[in-house]
């Protein structure tokens, strides 16, 4: 049984006042809250318990000013996201990543970045906390968004994804194909980097 890292939903709601978006909450504050309140629980329980949020690293990858855009193929495990475009790379933090919550988060983020794509990370910067209450799936997850400047070397799972590098204007033209978190990320990036 897979165990995943979670925090009580109330902690997230208190930080973002129950609103959706990406919030530039101080990373030290988040780290302390995670250290004090996060714990591991069976994923099967976490996926259906809206009193908990599963902590997900969500890494936006940029190379030479263009962002990595991935499309999950039907060979991917998460059926709810088949065919959707994603700006972020990430996934669940598992007990195998470590039992100290923050160290497990960092190790899990590193693992997740390199599971799907083969990249050399040149720089990694924390961006903010992503909250999305628009669907039953998003209501049980919360993202810690990072921006990685990368040298892209290829896909590690080429049958699981299609990929492109696009600028924000090109991504905006495909907005309706984006998964929910990627729409929030795109909106945030457009404010952060207006053309």
């Amino acid at each position: 049984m897979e165990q995943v890292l979670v925090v009580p939903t109330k902690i997230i709601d208190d930080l973002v006042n129950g609103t959706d978006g990406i919030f530039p909450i101080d990373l030290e504050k988040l780290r302390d809250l995670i250290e004090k309140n996060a714990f591991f629980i069976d994923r099967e329980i976490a996926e259906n318990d809206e009193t908990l949020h599963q902590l997900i690293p969500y890494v936006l990858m940029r190379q030479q000013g263009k962002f990595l855009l991935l499309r999950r193929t039907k060979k991917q495990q998460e059926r709810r996201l088949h065919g959707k475009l994603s700006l972020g790379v990430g996934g669940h933090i598992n007990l195998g990543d470590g039992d100290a919550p923050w160290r497990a988060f960092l190790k899990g983020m590193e693992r997740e970045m390199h599971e799907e794509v083969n990249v050399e990370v040149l720089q990694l910067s924390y961006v903010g906390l992503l909250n999305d209450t628009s669907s039953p799936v998003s209501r049980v997850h919360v993202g810690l968004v990072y921006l990685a400047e990368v040298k892209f070397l290829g896909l590690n799972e080429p049958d699981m994804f299609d990929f492109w590098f696009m600028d924000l204007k090109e991504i905006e033209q495909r907005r309706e194909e984006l998964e929910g978190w990627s729409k929030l990320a795109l909106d945030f990036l457009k404010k952060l980097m207006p053309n």
Side-chain angles (χ1 to χ4, degrees):
M1 181 77 62
E2 181 184 8
Q3 295 217 313
V4 295
L5 190 63
V6 298
V7 292
T9 297
K10 182 180 182 339
I11 289 170
I12 305 304
D13 286 347
D14 288 348
L15 289 172
V16 302
N17 296 319
T19 55
D20 293 353
I22 297 177
F23 303 88
I25 293 163
D26 180 69
L27 184 58
E28 294 299 312
K29 179 178 183 177
L30 275 178
R31 188 196 73 202
D32 290 346
L33 285 170
I34 289 168
E35 277 294 321
K36 291 174 184 166
N37 299 285
F39 58 95
F40 288 92
I41 191 170
D42 289 347
R43 182 173 175 182
E44 190 175 310
I45 294 169
E47 289 288 350
N48 298 297
D49 186 347
E50 291 191 13
T51 68
L52 300 172
H53 271 54
Q54 298 165 66
L55 287 164
I56 306 290
Y58 196 68
V59 183
L60 311 173
M61 296 190 176
R62 182 170 61 182
Q63 178 174 267
Q64 299 176 338
K66 295 194 173 194
F67 291 87
L68 177 63
L69 192 62
L70 297 168
R71 179 172 51 215
R72 291 173 172 86
T73 68
K74 291 183 178 173
K75 293 188 178 182
Q76 251 245 347
Q77 181 180 2
E78 183 53 79
R79 278 187 230 107
R80 297 172 292 194
L81 299 174
H82 284 171
K84 293 285 189 181
L85 295 178
S86 179
L87 264 169
V89 172
H92 294 86
I93 305 304
N94 304 121
L95 188 55
D97 294 318
D99 55 6
W102 185 248
R103 280 198 308 270
F105 179 83
L106 293 177
K107 186 176 176 190
M109 177 168 60
E110 182 75 17
R111 174 183 51 75
E112 286 289 346
M113 275 195 292
H114 297 287
E115 266 182 12
E116 298 173 355
V117 294
N118 183 4
V119 293
E120 179 184 336
V121 178
L122 307 175
Q123 183 179 346
L124 183 67
S125 308
Y126 165 73
V127 173
L129 183 76
L130 187 154
N131 189 58
D132 179 8
T133 60
S134 66
S135 74
V137 175
S138 64
R139 284 195 292 273
V140 294
H141 295 85
V142 65
L144 270 71
V145 182
Y146 284 77
L147 177 61
E149 297 292 341
V150 301
K151 179 179 178 185
F152 183 77
L153 303 171
L155 295 175
N156 288 331
E157 303 172 321
D159 58 332
M160 300 287 191
F161 298 97
D162 298 319
F163 77 95
W164 305 265
F165 276 90
M166 296 184 177
D167 62 31
L168 295 179
K169 285 182 179 176
E170 292 171 306
I171 296 168
E172 179 63 44
Q173 291 173 357
R174 301 189 71 175
R175 181 179 187 84
E176 291 312 307
E177 299 173 68
L178 294 174
E179 65 188 9
W181 280 22
S182 293
K183 288 178 182 175
L184 293 175
L186 176 61
D187 292 342
F188 186 84
L189 289 169
K190 285 178 1 190
K191 288 178 193 167
L192 196 65
M193 305 169 195
N195 290 343

